[in-house]
Amino acid sequence: DLKTPLATVAGLCEEFLDEFGPAVPAEARGLVEAARSRTMRMKGMIDELLAMSASAAQPIQRAHVSSRSLLDDVLDRIRLEIGERPIRLEVPDRMPDVYTHPGRFREVFYQLLSNAVKFMDKESGVIRVSAARLGDEHIFCVADTGPGISEPDQRKIFAPFQRLLQHRERPGSGLGLYFVRRMIEQRGGRVWVESKLGEGSKFYVAIPVSGA
């Protein structure tokens, strides 16, 4: 219901530019192009929201799975997003088997890694994944050498539709981390971040060994 009118608006903008673009002032073309760009961005946000909502709404079908195999599925997508950027991924050779919902946990890995790639501001950035068992929890960490997050902003980033001021021009819905926390906490796990401005961030996901 939302995507159809957005597609119509974007299509009308394209028709206007094709038909009348050369005849209107550059400033007018710029306004129409900006309208089309913002419309497509909104469509992308809706697509992202639908994908994450579908993942969160899947029936709870837990299974014993290799967390490394779930991560490997995600890494193929992440390498496409990295493209030619000089970002290095560091992943442990071994990771624990977990009792969880495979689709949801795969989406958690994707959201954390995709954010790390999207906001990396270093020419030769590093994104590092680690995993360890601590007591009755498996703890996973996605660490990056990106811009870091201030302490006040760390309290905001897990809320829905929250986007940091410095990231407003980047694509995204502000829902990724909200869904990560929701999917994990609903199953008895924990999610938190440790970060310093200019020094990167570490996102932690802890799930019970007994299942999440």
Side-chain angles (χ1 to χ4, degrees):
D1 291 342
L2 291 172
K3 290 172 65 175
T4 299
L6 286 174
T8 300
V9 172
L12 290 172
C13 289
E14 289 180 0
E15 285 185 30
F16 176 87
L17 291 171
D18 289 342
E19 186 73 22
F20 305 108
V24 299
E27 293 82 357
R29 287 199 306 274
L31 290 173
V32 176
E33 288 169 353
R36 179 187 178 279
S37 175
R38 283 164 173 75
T39 301
M40 296 305 294
R41 184 182 302 175
M42 178 64 71
K43 180 181 178 298
M45 290 173 61
I46 292 172
D47 288 339
E48 185 179 351
L49 174 59
L50 288 172
M52 288 186 289
S53 297
S55 179
Q58 290 176 11
I60 303 302
Q61 297 176 338
R62 301 182 194 178
H64 288 284
V65 294
S66 163
S67 61
R68 178 57 201 262
S69 68
L70 296 179
L71 179 61
D72 284 340
D73 292 342
V74 171
L75 290 177
D76 290 337
R77 297 167 63 188
I78 294 300
R79 290 190 178 99
L80 288 175
E81 294 182 11
I82 290 175
E84 299 300 318
R85 298 174 64 188
I87 296 176
R88 187 170 79 251
L89 292 172
E90 296 183 359
V91 181
D93 292 330
R94 302 189 57 151
M95 294 174 64
D97 291 345
V98 292
Y99 185 58
T100 188
H101 185 292
R104 293 186 179 188
F105 205 61
R106 187 184 294 113
E107 186 66 22
V108 167
F109 274 139
Y110 173 73
Q111 290 298 329
L112 295 180
L113 286 165
S114 183
N115 275 355
V117 171
K118 184 189 303 180
F119 299 117
M120 179 62 68
D121 63 342
K122 307 294 191 303
E123 285 193 10
S124 299
V126 178
I127 299 171
R128 183 177 298 108
V129 179
S130 60
R133 177 169 175 172
L134 202 59
D136 60 355
E137 292 181 313
H138 292 300
I139 299 179
F140 299 85
C141 177
V142 175
D144 65 67
T145 59
I149 306 167
S150 70
E151 189 170 340
D153 284 337
Q154 290 175 35
R155 294 190 286 270
K156 302 176 183 177
I157 58 175
F158 293 102
F161 300 107
Q162 287 291 328
R163 306 196 68 208
L164 303 186
L165 183 62
Q166 62 270 33
H167 298 157
R168 294 285 170 85
E169 294 305 313
R170 294 177 184 263
S173 63
L175 287 167
L177 292 177
Y178 165 72
F179 273 101
V180 165
R181 173 169 276 183
R182 182 182 175 194
M183 286 189 284
I184 294 299
E185 290 186 347
Q186 280 183 337
R187 308 265 53 89
R190 301 181 294 134
V191 178
W192 70 98
V193 62
E194 296 176 359
S195 183
K196 290 184 179 180
L197 282 176
E199 298 182 17
S201 303
K202 295 180 179 179
F203 284 87
Y204 292 91
V205 173
I207 64 171
V209 171
S210 58

